[in-house]
Amino acid sequence: MVDQTSVSFKRDLSEWRIALVAWRLLILQAADPAVGAGMHEHSTYRAHPWRRIEHTLGSGRRLFYQDADTLRREVARLNRAHKRIRGEMPDGRAYDARDPATRVWVLLTLFECVAAMRRLGGDPYDADQLELAYREFGEAIAAFELPEEELPKTAADLPGYFARYTAEKLEFTEAARYLLEDVLREAPRPRRLWFLGDAGWRVLRVVVAAAIRELTVADLPPTVRERLGLVRTRQGALLSVLLHRGAGIVVPRLPERMRYRSPEERVAPPRRLRPQRRDARGSRVDRFFREVLDQTGDGVITVHDLRAMAHNVCWQLELDEAAEARVYAAFDGWWEQLRAAMDADGDGEVSREEFVAATLAGCDRDGAYLERGLLPALRAVFTAADTDGSGFLEFDEYRAVFGGPRVHPAELSHGFRQLDTDGDGRITVEEFVGGFTEFFTARADSTSGAQLLGRP
């Protein structure tokens, strides 16, 4: 009999070595056609990869490291978010993020990657330990109320499950290809690496992207590599051995405070607040399109970009279903007015050229875009953030929606003061709407607006 105290899935999940299999996890998940289609249409991973990762890590903390009530609320929040992730794949197949088989795959890849981390590091679970870890994992995900027939009953059933799912479902989706080949080569500089400067980051990300690709392909299960048409190179195999075995020797010998990630969110270092650029208005509008409105990073604005903004607001505030529906409805209305004002060729999308041309030409002469589009969306955000119904945003309420692990307190205070124009320590709806109207019409930079969207 194995000592149960010697095995803990949650503890292993929080070990720093998990970073070595993080990209492997993303590829396994994105290779599911439903996940890949949802990421391509709805996710902000192209334009805001670091925010997407932070949301994922934050959700994991709530699922595995917090109390039962936090777990329940997080599952409810995920259920509400996934309800809106559905559509059609390029080949016409329907997809829905609430599909039980897809949800089981996503969750089980997390368990499989923890087991792979141990195996690749030279300290694999034995059969009894694997069963104990799987039992602990099952207790943590019970709140999802997944169909019993979809979940393998024991850890011994996992290899058969993964083989079948790989053969029957996995594809080298566009999302998986982009994650493996391009996203790190294009990713904006993380704020924690501010000291590198843009030039230093451009050099470093090429090296990092190549290394992560080689490591990820080398570490994928052979059946998955074969299914996706990927080839493990000698360099990748050597890199895998060096990194995993080296970490397997070093990390377990570290003190616990250094071996494990804290479940608490850490605050990012302050960003140097730069003055507004004195470029031409056309250039600033173009930059605003790329860095703010094109949330999904596909080069056009669609309803999915506006819903990504709504998602970020709802995610921060943990709204109930009714309040969340009001926010989404307001952002959908904003999209309809934006499309009506700027979609010159009527293709249901707003290109960068259409946005720049319409903005410079003053597209809102009749006031419809503002009065029936942008302003209702801003008022919906204000109402959702005003949790005590006072008609004002106090600093704690402002922090709930605009704060987060990447926002330093000094920067948060600066954004609050930008909106609090009369300096009375609270933000009225008029101040809120006025400040964000400037931001969302590309007339001014705003720390507050940047944090609403999680800009890099």
Side-chain angles (χ1 to χ4, degrees):
M1 293 289 292
V2 65
D3 179 7
Q4 294 196 20
T5 62
S6 67
V7 177
S8 171
F9 167 79
K10 294 181 182 180
R11 186 178 63 203
D12 290 339
L13 178 62
S14 68
E15 195 175 276
W16 279 108
R17 283 190 293 167
I18 199 70
L20 293 175
V21 293
W23 223 255
R24 178 186 188 276
L25 171 66
L26 294 176
I27 299 302
L28 287 174
Q29 294 180 350
D32 181 292
V35 177
M39 290 179 67
H40 182 71
E41 278 201 320
H42 299 271
S43 178
T44 61
Y45 75 105
R46 289 175 179 263
H48 300 278
W50 311 127
R51 185 180 76 191
R52 184 66 262 156
I53 290 171
E54 284 162 5
H55 279 188
T56 300
L57 292 176
S59 183
R61 280 190 288 267
R62 295 183 182 97
L63 289 175
F64 293 104
Y65 301 120
Q66 304 299 327
D67 56 70
D69 183 61
T70 302
L71 170 62
R72 178 189 57 77
R73 288 188 289 110
E74 183 60 21
V75 170
R77 177 164 68 165
L78 289 170
N79 287 340
R80 290 195 301 271
H82 289 156
K83 181 174 64 176
R84 295 180 172 87
I85 302 176
R86 60 184 185 273
E88 279 193 1
M89 303 180 201
D91 62 6
R93 287 178 294 169
Y95 71 88
D96 190 325
R98 296 171 299 176
D99 173 58
T102 301
R103 302 191 82 179
V104 167
W105 170 254
V106 169
L107 289 167
L108 286 178
T109 55
L110 181 61
F111 180 84
E112 192 273 344
C113 279
V114 172
M117 176 195 78
R118 292 279 302 256
R119 184 181 69 254
L120 292 166
D123 56 339
Y125 292 127
D126 63 30
D128 289 337
Q129 290 174 330
L130 190 65
E131 292 295 343
L132 287 171
Y134 187 63
R135 193 179 309 158
E136 182 185 0
F137 169 79
E139 292 170 355
I141 67 168
F144 284 97
E145 298 181 346
L146 296 165
E148 289 187 9
E149 62 272 17
E150 295 288 349
L151 279 165
K153 297 190 183 312
T154 68
D157 298 323
L158 288 173
Y161 166 85
F162 275 93
R164 287 192 302 275
Y165 204 93
T166 297
E168 296 172 3
K169 292 286 188 72
L170 298 195
E171 301 173 6
F172 198 27
T173 63
E174 171 58 22
R177 187 209 62 77
Y178 184 78
L179 283 169
L180 189 63
E181 305 288 353
D182 295 327
V183 67
L184 288 172
R185 298 179 187 276
E186 301 173 2
R189 171 169 47 87
R191 295 172 65 187
R192 288 181 175 83
L193 299 183
W194 59 268
F195 55 86
L196 289 175
D198 289 337
W201 169 243
R202 282 194 293 270
V203 173
L204 178 62
R205 71 182 177 183
V206 171
V207 177
V208 171
I212 288 180
R213 186 197 185 283
E214 291 288 337
L215 177 68
T216 300
V217 173
D219 289 348
L220 285 172
T223 54
V224 174
R225 282 201 303 270
E226 182 179 356
R227 178 72 174 172
L228 304 186
L230 299 171
V231 178
R232 186 189 200 203
T233 65
R234 290 182 179 179
Q235 297 95 319
L238 177 61
L239 182 65
S240 176
V241 170
L242 290 175
L243 290 178
H244 285 291
R245 291 302 177 93
I249 293 171
V250 174
V251 174
R253 289 170 171 75
L254 296 174
E256 286 210 359
R257 62 183 177 81
M258 299 174 66
R259 179 179 178 180
Y260 299 105
R261 293 178 294 116
S262 169
E264 301 299 322
E265 294 183 342
R266 297 183 183 274
V267 174
R271 177 177 61 177
R272 188 179 304 166
L273 297 175
R274 291 176 288 183
Q276 181 175 323
R277 290 174 51 175
R278 299 190 179 207
D279 53 1
R281 173 140 165 79
S283 176
R284 187 166 69 249
V285 172
D286 179 82
R287 182 166 53 92
F288 183 83
F289 177 95
R290 289 182 287 104
E291 296 180 0
V292 178
L293 288 178
D294 184 14
Q295 288 281 296
T296 56
D298 58 1
V300 295
I301 307 172
T302 69
V303 66
H304 298 308
D305 296 289
L306 279 297
R307 287 177 179 172
M309 296 183 201
H311 170 80
N312 198 53
V313 172
C314 297
W315 190 265
Q316 295 287 97
L317 291 174
E318 299 188 35
L319 302 176
D320 61 32
E321 190 159 2
E324 191 171 281
R326 287 192 291 271
V327 172
Y328 272 92
F331 275 77
D332 282 350
W334 178 12
W335 157 246
E336 288 302 323
Q337 292 303 321
L338 190 151
R339 180 188 56 77
M342 299 183 179
D343 181 17
D345 61 9
D347 64 353
E349 302 173 342
V350 176
S351 68
R352 186 169 62 188
E353 293 75 18
E354 287 173 328
F355 177 80
V356 172
T359 302
L360 295 180
C363 66
D364 197 42
R365 292 189 181 92
D366 64 355
Y369 170 57
L370 287 177
E371 291 300 326
R372 295 197 293 273
L374 175 60
L375 299 189
L378 294 176
R379 293 190 184 104
V381 174
F382 182 92
T383 301
D386 180 21
T387 53
D388 63 3
S390 67
F392 302 95
L393 289 191
E394 312 292 347
F395 184 73
D396 285 347
E397 293 172 320
Y398 173 86
R399 178 171 55 198
V401 67
F402 298 113
R406 299 173 67 215
V407 185
H408 192 273
E411 190 167 353
L412 194 65
S413 296
H414 177 79
F416 184 85
R417 289 195 301 272
Q418 278 189 305
L419 293 178
D420 180 20
T421 55
D422 62 7
D424 66 352
R426 58 186 186 176
I427 299 169
T428 65
V429 65
E430 291 80 12
E431 290 172 326
F432 185 87
V433 168
F436 277 105
T437 297
E438 288 291 302
F439 179 73
F440 282 114
T441 52
R443 297 191 182 104
D445 289 336
S446 162
T447 298
S448 305
Q451 299 322 322
L452 172 63
L453 301 176
R455 287 170 66 188

